[in-house]
Amino acid sequence: MSKNSSRAAGRHFLQIPGPTPVPDRILRALDTPIIDHRGPEFAKLAKRVLEGIKTIFKTTNPVIIYTATGTGAWEAALVNTLSAGDRVLMVETGQFATLWKNMAVKLGLKPEFIATDWRTGADPAAIEAKLRDDKAHQIKAVCVLHNETATGCLSPIAEIRQAINRAGHPALFLVDTISSLASTDYRHDEWGVDVTVGGAQKGLMLPPGMSFNALSDKAMAASKNSKLPKSFWSWEDMLNMNKVGFFPYTPATNMLHGLAAAIDMLHEEGLDNVFARHARLAEATRRAVRAWGLEILCRDPKFYSPTVTAVLLPEGHDADKLRNLALDHFDISYGMSFGRFLGKYFRFGHLGDTNDLTILGALAGTEMALTLAGVPIKKGGVQVAMDYIVAAHASPQRAAAE
Amino acid sequence: MSKNSSRAAGRHFLQIPGPTPVPDRILRALDTPIIDHRGPEFAKLAKRVLEGIKTIFKTTNPVIIYTATGTGAWEAALVNTLSAGDRVLMVETGQFATLWKNMAVKLGLKPEFIATDWRTGADPAAIEAKLRDDKAHQIKAVCVLHNETATGCLSPIAEIRQAINRAGHPALFLVDTISSLASTDYRHDEWGVDVTVGGAQKGLMLPPGMSFNALSDKAMAASKNSKLPKSFWSWEDMLNMNKVGFFPYTPATNMLHGLAAAIDMLHEEGLDNVFARHARLAEATRRAVRAWGLEILCRDPKFYSPTVTAVLLPEGHDADKLRNLALDHFDISYGMSFGRFLGKYFRFGHLGDTNDLTILGALAGTEMALTLAGVPIKKGGVQVAMDYIVAAHASPQRAAAE
Amino acid sequence: MSKNSSRAAGRHFLQIPGPTPVPDRILRALDTPIIDHRGPEFAKLAKRVLEGIKTIFKTTNPVIIYTATGTGAWEAALVNTLSAGDRVLMVETGQFATLWKNMAVKLGLKPEFIATDWRTGADPAAIEAKLRDDKAHQIKAVCVLHNETATGCLSPIAEIRQAINRAGHPALFLVDTISSLASTDYRHDEWGVDVTVGGAQKGLMLPPGMSFNALSDKAMAASKNSKLPKSFWSWEDMLNMNKVGFFPYTPATNMLHGLAAAIDMLHEEGLDNVFARHARLAEATRRAVRAWGLEILCRDPKFYSPTVTAVLLPEGHDADKLRNLALDHFDISYGMSFGRFLGKYFRFGHLGDTNDLTILGALAGTEMALTLAGVPIKKGGVQVAMDYIVAAHASPQRAAAE
Amino acid sequence: MSKNSSRAAGRHFLQIPGPTPVPDRILRALDTPIIDHRGPEFAKLAKRVLEGIKTIFKTTNPVIIYTATGTGAWEAALVNTLSAGDRVLMVETGQFATLWKNMAVKLGLKPEFIATDWRTGADPAAIEAKLRDDKAHQIKAVCVLHNETATGCLSPIAEIRQAINRAGHPALFLVDTISSLASTDYRHDEWGVDVTVGGAQKGLMLPPGMSFNALSDKAMAASKNSKLPKSFWSWEDMLNMNKVGFFPYTPATNMLHGLAAAIDMLHEEGLDNVFARHARLAEATRRAVRAWGLEILCRDPKFYSPTVTAVLLPEGHDADKLRNLALDHFDISYGMSFGRFLGKYFRFGHLGDTNDLTILGALAGTEMALTLAGVPIKKGGVQVAMDYIVAAHASPQRAAAE
C-alpha cells in the first residue's frame, strides 16, 4: 500500500494458520435474518448440523456444539471428565499445548508435561512409558494436540492410542484438533479418542465463535463422576436438549446456518479431496522454503503439519520485522512466533478454503518480502513449488507417492 | 403460509424477546473477510469497541467481551468473584433467575432464593431485610436480573443498591441486563453495580454469540481472592491483553465488526431516543392487551418491562397452540412460557431494532391469531395502540407523562 | 424519527408500487463474486433463467432479458416491431401510458391515444371500434398497460385480445406488465399477446436494472421487417446468442443470479398462491380506505389493481404533505401522484415480497399519518382490514368469493 | 478441481479483462434494502454520485448514468449527437471497435473504418489525414476506443485530439473508455473529448449493469440538432431530472450505492496510485510473457494496455484449449480471442481491484497451464515478474522509469 493511500487494493492474503478465509457462500449463510431458536425451523437446522458434524469427526456418537472459541472447548473437555486434583498427562508440543496445560493448572488439575524441543510431535513411546510407570492409574487423562498450531508439527493420534492400549492404562484420551480438523484425516471413533476438541475457524472455514467436543461412551460415563464445577460447559443439558433439536441456552443461530453450509461444502469437494489438497499445498510450501535455503521448524518429516509451516529465519533476522514488512508491501499476514523461539520464525498457513494459485501468490509474496528484508535466501522457491504442483496435476498419483 | 406452499412471503415477525432482528447494516458488518486477530487493523477495531461498549453500560471501568452467549457471562460473573461455598442472595423473579440460581448451585455456591409469584420485580425491602439479618456478612453477592425475560418484570436496580447501602452490607452487587441493556436506561457506575452481565442479541441488535461483564473496582479486587476454578472466563488475562488491543485467545472478529456498528447506530439514534422508543412500544402493546380484555403477567405497573410483555390467556386456552397458529397463519413468533405458568401465557417482545409500524403489524397479527384461536377477546386492541402512538407523535411530552 | 436523531430504527415500510422490497435470499444471490460471462458456469445459469422466466410469462416462446430498466423494454418492444411513421393505438390509462405514448412519438411513430379520465382501465370496446374504423390496417400495433401503476387500474388483456380478433385486425398486441407480472395472473401465449414488456423490480422482487420482452411468432416475424434503427435493443443477436447460453454483450451476471432465485421462490410459494396473496392484500387495503371514508382513484371495481391502490384526499388536502409527514413520523414511503391529479392522491403499493402483517402495519401507519395530517377520516380502517384478513384465513374460499 | 468433486476450493482467479472482481465493500453496498427512488434519501445519494463520477472522468460537465451495460452507452453517444446518414470516422483497433462500427451501421450512420492489423492503437496521423481530406466536413464524429479490450492496445487520446485540431476539423470526438477508465489516466475536459463512454464493470469495480456518457458543451449543443430517434438514451430528460437529484425513470438504486462506494475507494487509494498499480501489474505480466518466449499481440510498446495483455500462442496451439485446461486445473479464467486471431491468443486481465500477489498467483497458474498444455515455453516467467515487482517496491521511482 502506498504511503499516501488509505486503501489496499485487492484481497488480503491471510496466511495465518487460522482463522482462515471464510468462503462467500458461508458468509452469505451467516448473513441471514434471525430465526426463533425455539421454533420448528430451528429444530430442523439443529438436527441437520448435529448429524452433519459427526461425519467430519468420523463418529457416530454425539458432538457438542459450543458458542465459544476453541479455548472454551478445551475447558469443556477437562471440566466434564475430571475432578480437582486429578493427574493428567500432557505433551509440550509447543505454545498451544502449554496454554492447555496452564488451563489444567488453573482448573485445579495436576498436569504432568512431557517436554519436547518444540520441533516435533508427541512421541507415543514416551507416553507409553509414563503410563506404564503409573501403576496406580492416577493419571486420569492423556491430552495431546493433533496439530500444534504454534510449530507446525502433527502428532500421530492412532499410534498414541495404540501406545495407551499397550500400556493397558485406563486413562481417557483427549485430543485437540482445532487446527487439523477438516484439513487432514481424523477418525474419532476408529482411533479410540474419548474427547475430541474442535474449532470452527480453521478447516471448517467459519469465523471464530464456535467449538466442539466429540464424545466417546467412556467419556460420557466419566462425566457422571467428574466433580469439577461446570454449568455453561456441561454436556448433560446439551445432550438432553440436542436430542429434540434445541439447546439449553440461546445458540448462535447464524453460526449454525454457516456450519450447515460448511459441512455441505466439505462433502461436495469430498473429504479425501480436501485432505489431498491440504497435503499438496503443504508440500509445495515446504519445497519453496527449502529452495530458499531456510529451515523448517518441524525437524522430522514424519511430523510435518498439513496446515501450517513454521519457517526459521537465519540468526540475526527478526521475524516480526519481516511480518510487518510483508504486510506493508504485499498485504499478507503470517502467524507470529512464540516462547523460546519468539521472533525467530514466522508461520505460513496453508489451510481452509484456499487453492494452488492463492498459495503460489502467497509464496511469491514471501519470497519477495524475504528479499526486501535482506534475509539471505536463494531465489527460486516459487518455481520449485510450481514444478511440484504441475507434477501433481499431471499425475496426481505420482505426486502423492513422491 | 398456504398448505401447498413451501415459502412464506415477506418478512417474518420475530416477536420473541430476543434474539432480536439484526439490522441489515450490522449483518453487512458481520459479512466481512476475516482479518488477522494479531495485526494492527484488529487492534484498532478492538480498542474502538472496548471503549465504545463502556458508553452503553455507562461505565468508565473495563468491560470484558466474551465470545459466548449470555449464560457464559453469568458464569463469568460468579467464577471471577466468588469461592466454593460462598452464600449468594438471589431473587426468584422467574425462569431466568431460576436458571442463574441453578448455575450457582452447580458451581458450588450456596444461593438463598427470595421467592416471588413470578409476577413482579425484585423487592428492595426484602433484599435489605435479608442483608440486615446477615450480621456475619456471609452473603458475598446479591444477584438480580434487571429485566426478567420470562415474565416481563423490571427490577429497580438503583433502589436495590440503596437498600444494600442502607443495610450496610459489603456484598457484591451482580446484575443481569441481558434483556434490558440498550433498551432502557442503565447506569453501571452511578447505580453502584459491581458486575453487570450483558448480551449482544437483544438491545445491541447482534446475533447471539457475544456477552459482557462490566466491572467495578470492588469486583476486580474481589477477583484476586476468588477461588472458584476459572480459565476461559478469567478476567485477568482479558484485562491484560485488552489493554494493548488484543485478546488472550481468538476473538470473534466478525462479531466485533458488528458490535462496532451497533454502538455507532445506538448513538446515531441517541440512547435517550432508543429508550423512549422502547417505552412507547411497550406501552402501546400493554394498552392493546388490556383492550383485548387479557391480563398482563406483570401485575404491578411499576415493574412493567420496556422490552417484553407476557400475556396470560383465559383459563382453558393453550398458549402454545396459539403460538403455533400465529406462526402458521401470520408468520409471527412469540416467546414461550415457563415453570408454574407453562402453557398459560405467551411473551410479546418489543425490543431491539423495531419501530411503530412493525409493532402495530405484530399486534394486528396477535389480535387476528387470538380471534382465529377462539380466545374470547374484545376487538380493538390495535386501534387503542394506534391512538396511543398517534398521541405520542402529536405531543411526545404529553404521551410520556400519561 | 426524532428530530435529534440521525437514524430511524427498524425497517422502512416501502409502500411505493415498486421497486419492491428485495428479499434477503435474493440480496444474497446478488451478493456473489463475478463469474466469467463467457464460461461454462455462466452458460448453465443463463439457460436456467432463460427457461425459468418463460414460466412466469406463461409462454413457450423466447423471452429477451435486457440489462436495463422497464423503460428500455418499452423501447425494445417498439423498435423491434415497427417502422418510422407507423400508426399505433394506445390507451391513456394514466401517467405511464402517457410516457409510453411520448416515447412512441420520440421514436417517430404516430400514436393514436384513446383518452380516459385516468380512473379506469382500457376499454376493449373502444379499442375494437378504433380498429374497425381502420379499414386500411394502418394501425400496426395496439399498446396497453396491463396495470397502470400511476392510477391502480388493471386492464382486461384477454378481453382486449378478443376485441382485436372480433375486429379482424392484424395489428400486433403489445402489453406492458411491469407492475402486474408475478403478482396477478398473466398468460402471454393463451391471451395472444405479441410482445409482453416486463420488469424485474416489482413482482419479481429484484432491484431495478433488468427488463424483459416476451415474444410471439408474429412479433418475431414482424421484427424482420421493422425499420426503426436498433442495436442495443435488437432481438436478433439476443435470440442467436441466448440459444447457446450467452449474450451478445456483457450481461448483468449478478442480476441473473438474483433472477434465478426469484423464479425459484415464486414457484416455491406457488404462482396461484402468489396471486391470491396479492388479491387479499389489495382487497384489505381497499376496505381500509373505504372505512376511512376516502375515495379510491379507480372508480370501477372491475378494474381494481391487485398491486397498487391510489387514494384520493378530500379537496384542500395536499397528498405530498401527507407523504412527507408519514415518512418523517412513521418511516413509510408511498408513491407520488401525477398529471391532472398531481398532489391530490397518494399510491399505496401492496405488491412483491410482502405479507398480511406488513400491510396491516403499513395501513396502521397510514391511518395515523392521515390523523396527524388533519385529513378528516373515520377511524377503523385497520380494523376492517383485519376483519377481512381474519375471514380470509378462517375460510379462504369464502373470502375469495366475497 | 478433482474429477470426483463438485466444488472448487478457494477463490476463482478471474483474469478476464472485465467484469472484474467486485470488492466486498462494494458487494455489501449493493446488498442493501431498496429505497424510494423519489424520496429525499435517494436525492442525497444521486447528487453524491453525480458529482463524484465527474472526478473519475476528470470533467466539470455533467455525466449521464445509464442503467445498461457499456454497449448501451455506445448507442447513447451516437444517437444523441448524430443523424441518419451522418458520416463517422472510426478506427478498427479490434473486435470491440468493430462492434461499435457495426452498431453505427445498424443505426443508419455511415462509418468510415480505418483499418489496422489489430496489433496497434489508433494512429493520430491517419485520423488527421482523413479529416484533412474531408474538406466538406461531412464527417460528423471521430470515434476511438481508448483501450481496445480485444487486443490490449491503448490509443493516444490526447494526441488524437491534437490531430483533429491540426486538421481544423469540427467533428465531434467520441471516446470509449470502458476498459481503461479508473485504471489509467484519462482527462475528459483537458483532452477535449466530446462524449466519453464508460462502464461500471472494469476499473470501477462494480458488477455489469451501469454505463456512462461524459459530455462536453459541444456535445450537448449537437444533441439539440441530432435527429436519430431516441428516448431511453436521450440526454435531455436525464440532464433535467439529474439537476434535482432524480432520474426520469427508475434508476438502479442499489448500483448507485455501489457506485458511491467505488468512487470513495478510488479516492482513498488515490487515482495516481491506482494508475501506478495498474502500470506495475501490466509490466510484470508482459515481462513474464516475454520470459516464457511468447509474443504479445500488441506489437508496439507505446500502445501497451495497462489493463489487459493479449498473449499469442505458437502456431499449432489452441488458445481455447489452454483456457479450458487452466480453468479445470487452476480455476482461472482468461478472456477469449476474436476475429482474425480466433483461437490464437488468450487475454490476461490485470485490472480493477487486484494486487501484486493475486497477479503473481495468476501468472503462476498461467505458466503451469502452459506447461500442462504442452505449449513450448521457457520456465521462469513468474520469477521475472517477481524480480520486477521487488524492484518496484524497493525503489518505486526507478521501477517507474525503467
Side-chain angles (χ1 to χ4, degrees), chain A residues 24 27-29 31-33, chain C residues 24 27-29 31-33:
Chain A
D24 287 296
L27 281 172
R28 288 319 91 77
D31 183 2
T32 37
Chain C
D24 287 297
L27 281 172
R28 287 322 89 77
D31 183 2
T32 36

Side-chain angles (χ1 to χ4, degrees), chain B residues 192-205:
Chain B
V193 180
D194 292 306
V195 186
T196 301
V197 171
Q201 76 275 21
K202 313 256 174 168
L204 277 169
M205 311 176 288

Side-chain angles (χ1 to χ4, degrees), chain C residues 33 109 187 214 249 267:
Chain C
L109 303 171
R187 310 177 181 204
Y249 36 84
H267 289 305

